[in-house]
Amino acid sequence: MSSSQTGPLLRMLLVGLSASACTETEAEPEMRLRDLAYAGRSDAQRLDLYLPARGEGPFPVVVLIHGGGFAEGDKSFSADSARLLSEHGIAAAAINYRLSGEAVFPAAVHDAKAAVRYLRGVSSQYDLDPGRVGAWGESAGANIASMLGTSNADPFTQDLSLGHAQQSSRISATVSWFAPIDFLSIDAEAQALGFTTHTDDVDSFESRYMGFAVQDDPAKVALANPTTYIDEDDGAFLVQVGDADPLIPYTQSVNFHAALEAALGPDAAQLDVLEGAGHGFGAFTSADNRARVVAFFETFL
C-alpha cells in the first residue's frame, strides 16, 4: 500500500469505529486519536489528533496549545477548538507539554516544536498536509504558540533530539489569544492600566516558568519573548485580546502586534482588541469570533 493511500484509508476506518462506538447517550462525532506520543522524553509529550470526518485531504493541521500559567492545564482544554477546526476541514492537534513543575523554559517550546515536526513526520499516515501547519494558543499557551510563529529554526528554541530532526518546525499561521509576551514589562503595563500583577515575584507563573525571578536575568527572559525573533520570513498572525483583561495587560498583545506589523505588513499581522472582554471566554468564544478564527486559518493555511 502506498503512503498516499494510507491516510484516507485510516480516516475511513476511524469513521467506522467512531460510528460503531457511539450510543444514543454518548456520541462522539469527531475522529479523534488520543494520546499519540510525539516525543519520548516525558509522559507529557502526548497529543490528541482530531481529523476531519468529511472533505478531501491532505488537510491543513493546527497545533492547539492550552493555557494555565505554564504550570497547569491539559490538552482536553482545547477540545472545543479542535472540534471547531475539524468541522471546517482543518485537522487539529491538541498537545500536552512539560509544565514548569517538571521542566523550565525552553522545554515547553521545545515540546511544541517537536509536536510540529512529529505531525510532519506522520503526515502521510494521517492524511495531513505538511506544508500547511499552524498554531493556536491561549494565555500561556499563546506565548508558546507565538514562539512557534516567530522563532522558526532558531537553535535555542528547538531540541532536535526529541525526534523527527529532519522535519521543519516552521508554521505558517498563528492565532494568539491574550498572551503574556514580555515578562519584564507586565507589572509596569498593568500598573499603567490601573491594576496590579506580581510577575517579578519569584513564585509568579512567569518566574516559575523561567526557573528564577524574571528580573534576575533579563537577557534570558528576552529569549522567552516571541518579539525577540520577529523577522520578515514569519508566517501570518492573528492577535486577539480583551481590553478589560484583569490578568495580563492587553497592551502586551498590542505592542507585540505592532512589532509584527512592522515586519509583516497589515495583511499578515492582524489585531483584534475585543472591547470589554476579559481573560478569555465571552467574546472570544462567540460564534462570530470563532468564525473569524476559522476564516483566518482558511486564508493563511
Side-chain angles (χ1 to χ4, degrees):
M1 182 183 298
S2 72
S3 61
S4 63
Q5 293 173 308
T6 304
L9 287 176
L10 175 65
R11 291 199 306 117
M12 290 172 63
L13 175 61
L14 286 170
V15 168
L17 291 174
S18 177
S20 64
C22 290
T23 68
E24 291 183 0
T25 59
E26 184 179 344
E28 189 171 296
E30 79 275 356
M31 295 191 299
R32 175 169 43 171
L33 298 164
R34 298 174 183 265
D35 291 324
L36 300 177
Y38 62 81
R41 191 166 299 169
S42 167
D43 288 342
Q45 293 164 330
R46 301 287 187 272
L47 62 81
D48 292 345
L49 182 60
Y50 296 70
L51 298 170
R54 295 176 296 276
E56 294 295 324
F59 299 102
V61 59
V62 172
V63 175
L64 300 175
I65 309 177
H66 68 79
F70 307 104
E72 303 168 350
D74 183 79
K75 55 187 166 58
S76 62
F77 291 5
S78 302
D80 287 347
S81 297
R83 294 185 182 109
L84 171 71
L85 294 172
S86 65
E87 288 167 1
H88 288 83
I90 301 172
I95 71 168
N96 278 345
Y97 50 91
R98 284 173 288 175
L99 301 173
S100 59
E102 177 180 358
V104 298
F105 173 81
V109 179
H110 288 173
D111 288 354
K113 289 196 172 187
V116 171
R117 296 196 306 274
Y118 167 83
L119 291 167
R120 285 198 163 100
V122 300
S123 58
S124 61
Q125 181 178 348
Y126 297 119
D127 209 14
L128 307 176
D129 187 340
R132 295 189 290 164
V133 182
W136 179 4
E138 55 185 75
S139 195
N143 171 281
I144 298 169
S146 296
M147 288 288 291
L148 292 187
T150 62
S151 64
N152 295 317
D154 180 87
F156 176 75
T157 63
Q158 60 181 357
D159 180 355
L160 297 180
S161 71
L162 292 176
H164 296 277
Q166 73 281 10
Q167 301 293 339
S168 170
S169 59
R170 186 183 189 279
I171 63 173
S172 300
T174 305
V175 172
S176 170
W177 274 7
F178 40 92
I181 297 292
D182 182 355
F183 302 164
L184 295 172
S185 66
I186 288 176
D187 288 353
E189 290 181 48
Q191 185 175 9
L193 293 171
F195 65 99
T196 301
T197 55
H198 300 281
T199 306
D200 290 356
D201 292 354
V202 70
D203 61 349
S204 72
F205 282 129
E206 293 81 6
S207 292
R208 289 159 58 193
Y209 178 59
M210 295 305 304
F212 53 84
V214 296
Q215 297 297 332
D216 287 353
D217 191 345
K220 187 165 185 181
V221 173
L223 298 176
N225 182 344
T227 311
T228 299
Y229 306 92
I230 292 173
D231 63 37
E232 64 276 6
D233 293 327
D234 294 338
F237 267 81
L238 171 61
V239 177
Q240 294 193 315
V241 67
D243 66 3
D245 192 322
L247 300 180
I248 302 295
Y250 80 93
T251 49
Q252 290 266 299
S253 289
V254 172
N255 295 337
F256 179 49
H257 168 261
L260 288 166
E261 186 176 44
L264 304 177
D267 292 334
Q270 302 176 22
L271 171 68
D272 296 336
V273 178
L274 306 183
E275 184 176 358
H279 197 73
F281 305 105
F284 289 94
T285 56
S286 69
D288 286 347
N289 197 58
R290 285 157 61 89
R292 163 86 164 115
V293 171
V294 169
F296 171 81
F297 281 126
E298 288 176 339
T299 297
F300 290 100
L301 292 182

